[in-house]
Amino acid sequence: MDVLVVGAGDVGRWFADLADAPVAFADVDESRAEAAAAAHDGRARAVPLDTEESFGVVAVAVPMGAAVAAVEAHAASAEQAVVDFTGEMVAPLTAMAEHAPARERVSFHPLFAPEHAPGRVAVSESAPGPATGHVREWLEAAGNDLVDVGASEHDDAMVTIQGRAHAAVLAFALAAEDVPDELATPVYEDLAALADRVTGGNARVYADIQAAFGGADDVAAAARRLADADREAFEEVYEDAGR
């Protein structure tokens, strides 16, 4: 069973590394697909984005905003299964059902950046089967823990887990000023470390998350509630935050 990885970025390369099968990369940037293939020690090759070849599994690993279009464009190349590693689940699975109704269909979301692998991987199975079972086995063999979840439940949770969390950390980073290290408190050090981790990533990824799940408006409203509260109201807000 061979695999077409659509998207030769970090996530696509991460999945190709753990796939126990021949891999082909396709990417809007052909040179990136070629570089990804070359990095896999002869176990992978690059194919044109409009390839007419067929593959056992088509794995979509593109930014969230491009996921549906990528499924639409490449689902027909799948002989057995279409899967995605985009971070959103409802939209890609809906596109898979429309464009690959007779194929196995599963959405995977690594809950970590590839450089922090292994970790937890959320899994939503729309139409599982033997081929997607192999994908699960590859992920587990690489040390990942699989967490089965409904697609809507996943996307709803990501509003808080990613959208609001990232917005809160970025808001702190924007509001913070330089301070002497020797005056730092544990809470400040934890927030500063989170800010360094988030701002050391890829801005496009975080922009995609905000576009898909939102969160910044909710954080802004909460901050405004804090800012507008007098002492008595602040205590109520504080208690609400602890619930």
Side-chain angles (χ1 to χ4, degrees):
M1 181 179 69
D2 54 352
V3 178
L4 173 65
V5 177
V6 182
D10 291 341
V11 174
R13 293 183 184 213
W14 164 79
F15 175 62
D17 279 339
L18 57 83
D20 186 16
V23 171
F25 284 101
D27 195 279
V28 292
D29 182 344
E30 194 167 323
S31 64
R32 184 163 57 185
E34 293 170 352
H40 282 75
D41 300 325
R43 297 190 305 108
R45 60 192 176 96
V47 297
L49 193 63
D50 60 353
T51 180
E52 295 183 358
E53 293 186 54
S54 295
F55 301 84
V57 175
V58 170
V60 175
V62 300
M64 280 190 283
V68 169
V71 170
E72 292 175 352
H74 298 283
S77 296
E79 295 176 339
Q80 294 172 265
V82 183
V83 301
D84 84 282
F85 293 87
T86 63
E88 191 176 10
M89 290 186 163
V90 171
L93 285 172
T94 300
M96 291 179 206
E98 179 180 353
H99 297 281
R103 302 293 181 260
E104 299 169 34
R105 306 182 300 278
V106 175
S107 183
F108 297 90
H109 179 195
L111 301 170
F112 52 86
E115 61 267 25
H116 299 299
R120 289 192 304 276
V121 179
V123 185
S124 183
E125 296 186 323
S126 175
T132 58
H134 285 307
V135 176
R136 292 183 66 113
E137 290 170 2
W138 299 339
L139 290 165
E140 290 178 322
N144 298 288
D145 296 321
L146 305 190
V147 181
D148 289 285
V149 64
S152 295
E153 181 185 0
H154 167 274
D155 288 2
D156 288 346
M158 287 303 118
V159 175
T160 289
I161 291 170
Q162 290 192 313
R164 292 170 182 149
H166 298 163
V169 172
L170 288 169
F172 165 76
L174 290 168
E177 297 180 351
D178 290 337
V179 296
D181 290 341
E182 59 269 25
L183 297 181
T185 65
V187 170
Y188 168 80
E189 288 178 335
D190 288 347
L191 279 171
L194 286 171
D196 287 342
R197 180 165 179 168
V198 171
T199 58
N202 186 324
R204 187 181 67 181
V205 171
Y206 291 97
D208 286 342
I209 288 169
Q210 286 299 312
F213 303 123
D217 287 343
D218 299 325
V219 171
R224 176 49 54 194
R225 185 182 174 197
L226 281 168
D228 290 345
D230 58 20
R231 184 176 182 83
E232 182 178 347
F234 185 93
E235 292 179 1
E236 180 182 346
V237 173
Y238 183 88
E239 291 175 0
D240 286 348
R243 292 192 178 98

